[in-house]
Amino acid sequence: MVRIAIVSDTHLPRGRRRIPAAALARMRAADLILHAGDLSAATVLDELEALGPPVFAVAGNVEEPQVRMRLPARRVVEAGGARIGLVHDAGAARGRLARMRAAFPDCDAVVFGHSHIPLLERDEAGFTIFNPGSATERRRQPHHTMGEATVDDGRLTFEIVPLDDDG
């Protein structure tokens, strides 16, 4: 089984705000980390890479030039027999599931960010789109959140994880 920690929209550094300890612990315990963009600074990417598991990230719309130079706008990650598309902005809610299916036709799921709104949605064939929300900037959401996924024999499952409001 492959365990995946999923974050997006960290928007750091910003004042005294940090990635919550609970999120860092889950990332350290994962087999790999996905970040769906808006890290903001290269230091955040460096911090995530120092946690241990491999980090696969994409650039968002607020990245410093150093981050945009290091990260693609979209990518596909293979884990445990599953293929996961990764992009920052999946566009408007209306038609999003079909649009992401068309944009990543060989993937089992697409992870995205941008809205800071946690989302887990599947079509009838099992194709999934997933937004982990934000562990650091919840905006109007009731909790800071991140995501976790597992891949077991190619079967991919996602979970939205509420975090203590220490972020």
Side-chain angles (χ1 to χ4, degrees):
M1 178 167 40
V2 177
R3 295 165 302 148
I4 306 168
I6 307 168
V7 292
S8 186
D9 298 288
T10 44
H11 293 273
L12 295 174
R14 184 171 288 177
R16 295 173 45 184
R17 185 179 302 164
R18 301 287 177 263
I19 296 173
L24 291 171
R26 288 176 181 270
M27 286 187 269
R28 277 189 199 95
D31 296 307
L32 62 100
I33 299 167
L34 302 181
H35 194 299
D38 277 3
L39 297 99
S40 296
T43 55
V44 177
L45 182 56
D46 296 339
E47 179 182 353
L48 294 180
E49 289 172 340
L51 294 175
V55 176
F56 297 92
V58 292
N61 59 293
V62 300
E63 313 298 13
E64 292 179 344
Q66 300 91 329
V67 176
R68 283 195 300 270
M69 288 172 39
R70 289 172 61 181
L71 298 176
R74 55 187 274 173
R75 71 188 322 159
V76 174
V77 177
E78 296 191 31
R83 291 175 54 87
I84 304 165
L86 190 58
V87 65
H88 179 62
D89 187 353
R94 184 180 185 117
R96 183 184 289 139
L97 185 65
R99 194 170 49 253
M100 290 297 97
R101 177 62 137 160
F104 293 89
D106 296 329
C107 289
D108 302 294
V110 173
V111 170
F112 68 99
H114 191 58
S115 69
H116 299 228
I117 300 170
L119 175 77
L120 173 58
E121 186 178 345
R122 286 185 191 87
D123 69 13
E124 62 284 344
F127 177 78
T128 304
I129 59 173
F130 183 77
N131 185 328
S134 176
T136 56
E137 191 173 286
R138 64 184 173 91
R139 294 190 177 163
R140 292 174 297 281
Q141 300 307 304
H143 302 283
H144 293 95
T145 57
M146 66 177 290
E148 290 186 323
T150 57
V151 187
D152 196 2
D153 289 328
R155 183 169 175 209
L156 186 57
T157 57
F158 289 90
E159 177 184 0
I160 294 166
V161 179
L163 299 167
D164 294 336
D165 281 340
D166 63 351

